[in-house]
Amino acid sequence: MRVPCCSVCHSRYDEEERAPLLLHCGHGFCKACLSRMFSASADTSICCPRCRHPTVVGNSVQALRKNFPILSLLASSPSSPSFDYDFTDDDEGDGGGGDGEEDNEDDYFGSSGRCRRSGFSSHPSVSGCCSASGSRAASTSAIDLGSHHDLKLLRRLGEGRRVGYEVWSALLSKGSSFSSGQNGRTCRHQVAVKRVAITEDMDVVWLQSRLESLRQTSMWCRNVCTFHGAKRMDGYLCLVMDKFNSSIQSEMQQNKGRLTLEQILRYGADIARGVAELHAAGIVCMNLKPSNLLLDASCRAVVSDYGLPAILKRPTCRKARSVPEDCPSSLHSCMDCTMLSPHYTAPEAWEPLKKSLNIFWDDAIGISPESDAWSFGCTLVEMCTGSVPWAGLSAEEIYRAVVKARKLPPQYASIVGVGIPRELWKMIGDCLQFKPSKRPTFHAMLAIFLRHLQEVPRSPPASPDK
């Protein structure tokens, strides 16, 4: 028999801090999780993590109705350490294979189109010994891969643009000798895994050192998907990170391809904040696009897939690794080796670094933080119009338009007339400047988003009867 647990924090219900409470939509969660959501809310309502239906709470979540059937079940249930807790959120029943209808190649978390809004979490699903004491969940702590030895792949979510790249939903736990933690709870974490096949020309030691450096560098950044490290398993390198079940792309698909102005500004501010902190840590994202911009339980956007294209690029494209990192030749990155999506790739990322006798020529400086501004501009074009930039064109046609003709995405002209503030429209155009030095910083873009968010009136929560 499985004891019901909160689908947000995956902790067992009790009669005190984890008491099961019901929202107006009928979905239930523990009091601790609802209290955190309520404290983060800007008004007196809570949006259901499953269906996003708003519930007017008042002054405290204490006013919500308790789920008495679950309390009755708890009263009749044993609390021994051997009792089985349901932490898997039905992922194990999905099997380990794909369903023949794979998602976007870089969408780590199964969030493209077929996103399941129920049960997505803002942090790793933590239970047992890794849970924080009391009502505090381990929302900011990383998972120690050194002590969590067992990685069980549950369901394939998609394939990469390159052969041997797969994305899986997985369950990470400690070995049998460490299986029980505080109060006898099983320590298990729902995670997403990007699995990369190890080939003969790979320098695995070099890869693991770069990935560990990425983990340490990004661990304090906000509004980013936490990267927990890499494990070598069965001829694959498994990159472990937080699991989310929704993204900006899936949100657009559910709204017929469009977002409201408030959503554009709110998500834009979250993304700008996350990328600005990554840049401050010396990390270039390289792969900003709607499917890699995920949504947590509070519907805040987080950045994923940051820094990985530069590390996982084709080994045949890497130059001699004996060259110092500050030498221009070590910055080599091109479309062939990074496998970036052409619809969001900056002009300077299409070709390897070029040298010029003119030291003032900055049109080919290689991939840099300014390259992320171009990708973000293309992403904002899609968020405003619902159309993918350069839709209908092949990679070669996009290359000629972006690099040779220096054109803007044709969808950019469609932003005018859809209620977008002129300053935001101009900012997007600045992001799409051909010269990287003319593009705005993410700190400057964050200020613009926050300034216009203050001018957007918040709509009152809908009645539960509607």
Side-chain angles (χ1 to χ4, degrees):
M1 178 180 179
R2 291 188 172 187
V3 171
C5 303
C6 174
S7 61
V8 173
C9 65
H10 291 249
S11 296
R12 185 179 187 267
Y13 287 124
D14 56 33
E15 297 182 0
E16 297 178 356
E17 198 64 35
R18 299 285 179 184
L21 302 179
L22 289 173
L23 299 177
H24 292 168
C25 58
H27 293 130
F29 309 92
C30 73
K31 185 173 74 173
C33 289
L34 291 176
S35 297
R36 285 195 301 275
M37 296 179 199
F38 181 66
S39 63
S41 177
D43 50 28
T44 60
S45 65
I46 296 177
C47 285
C48 175
R50 287 183 179 270
C51 65
R52 309 309 301 165
H53 184 88
T55 295
V56 179
V57 176
N59 295 326
S60 171
V61 296
Q62 299 280 4
L64 293 174
R65 185 163 53 92
K66 291 185 177 180
N67 193 329
F68 289 103
I70 289 184
L71 289 174
S72 176
L73 179 61
L74 293 176
S76 61
S77 300
S79 57
S80 63
S82 61
F83 211 76
D84 189 18
Y85 302 97
D86 185 6
F87 294 113
T88 59
D89 201 22
D90 297 330
D91 269 343
E92 290 182 271
D94 292 335
D99 55 8
E101 191 177 357
E102 303 298 346
D103 293 324
N104 184 283
E105 64 276 0
D106 293 316
D107 187 0
Y108 278 29
F109 314 100
S111 57
S112 292
R114 299 176 300 158
C115 163
R116 294 184 303 164
R117 297 303 299 268
S118 60
F120 61 85
S121 61
S122 59
H123 52 80
S125 301
V126 181
S127 62
C129 65
C130 291
S131 297
S133 59
S135 64
R136 296 180 60 191
S139 60
T140 58
S141 60
I143 303 173
D144 181 14
L145 297 186
S147 60
H148 292 72
H149 308 287
D150 294 344
L151 182 64
K152 179 181 179 182
L153 301 180
L154 302 177
R155 182 169 62 93
R156 190 172 69 174
L157 304 176
E159 293 181 344
R161 297 171 61 87
R162 198 179 308 166
V163 177
Y165 283 46
E166 297 176 344
V167 182
W168 288 76
S169 170
L171 197 65
L172 183 66
S173 62
K174 293 193 174 183
S176 57
S177 59
F178 303 95
S179 59
S180 296
Q182 297 174 353
N183 302 323
R185 296 178 179 176
T186 303
C187 179
R188 295 192 284 183
H189 307 259
Q190 287 188 37
V191 294
V193 172
K194 184 167 188 177
R195 200 168 69 149
V196 182
I198 298 176
T199 59
E200 294 181 356
D201 54 355
M202 276 188 180
D203 188 340
V204 179
V205 175
W206 180 85
L207 278 175
Q208 289 179 315
S209 67
R210 290 290 305 273
L211 291 170
E212 176 61 18
S213 176
L214 177 66
R215 183 193 69 82
Q216 294 179 3
T217 305
S218 64
M219 64 186 303
W220 299 113
C221 296
R222 296 170 297 173
N223 287 99
V224 303
C225 175
T226 303
F227 174 55
H228 300 288
K231 293 174 67 71
R232 188 171 181 174
M233 186 177 70
D234 300 331
Y236 288 88
L237 201 58
C238 297
L239 282 58
V240 182
M241 55 203 68
D242 285 358
K243 179 178 183 294
F244 296 77
N245 286 337
S246 187
S247 69
I248 289 181
Q249 183 184 64
S250 63
E251 188 77 9
M252 293 172 60
Q253 291 171 344
Q254 292 178 5
N255 295 329
K256 298 181 180 179
R258 300 295 290 273
L259 297 176
T260 65
L261 175 59
E262 181 182 353
Q263 287 177 312
I264 294 171
L265 295 174
R266 184 155 45 84
Y267 295 157
D270 291 337
I271 299 162
R273 184 181 296 109
V275 178
E277 296 205 5
L278 289 170
H279 286 177
I283 300 172
V284 180
C285 298
M286 295 180 63
N287 209 6
L288 290 177
K289 57 183 180 179
S291 62
N292 286 336
L293 303 174
L294 313 177
L295 300 178
D296 66 11
S298 300
C299 226
R300 296 187 179 93
V302 296
V303 181
S304 71
D305 200 28
Y306 48 86
L308 293 179
I311 299 175
L312 301 177
K313 57 188 177 183
R314 291 182 186 273
T316 54
C317 277
R318 298 195 190 102
K319 303 301 181 182
R321 299 189 185 119
S322 58
V323 178
E325 291 189 0
D326 57 352
C327 179
S329 61
S330 68
L331 298 175
H332 167 79
S333 291
C334 64
M335 287 288 291
D336 291 336
C337 67
T338 57
M339 298 295 289
L340 298 176
S341 175
H343 299 276
Y344 309 91
T345 301
E348 64 272 15
W350 280 85
E351 295 177 335
L353 182 74
K354 296 177 181 178
K355 291 184 178 181
S356 173
L357 296 177
N358 186 352
I359 61 175
F360 299 103
W361 185 56
D362 65 346
D363 290 354
I365 63 173
I367 293 178
S368 66
E370 289 77 15
S371 305
D372 286 339
W374 172 282
S375 301
F376 190 37
C378 291
T379 299
L380 288 172
V381 168
E382 185 171 351
M383 292 168 61
C384 293
T385 65
S387 300
V388 177
W390 312 106
L393 300 183
S394 65
E396 179 61 29
E397 290 172 329
I398 297 176
Y399 169 77
R400 289 198 296 266
V402 171
V403 180
K404 301 301 182 182
R406 302 189 179 189
K407 292 182 178 179
L408 298 181
Q411 291 78 8
Y412 173 65
S414 304
I415 297 178
V416 180
V418 295
I420 302 300
R422 181 174 180 80
E423 185 181 20
L424 181 60
W425 174 79
K426 182 179 182 301
M427 184 197 77
I428 298 174
D430 291 340
C431 289
L432 299 174
Q433 288 285 333
F434 184 84
K435 288 190 175 183
S437 59
K438 293 187 176 181
R439 299 170 196 159
T441 65
F442 279 84
H443 282 293
M445 288 188 276
L446 175 60
I448 293 175
F449 285 123
L450 294 179
R451 182 162 58 251
H452 286 280
L453 267 175
Q454 297 173 1
E455 302 172 359
V456 176
R458 294 185 62 89
S459 56
S463 169
D465 298 329
K466 293 183 180 180

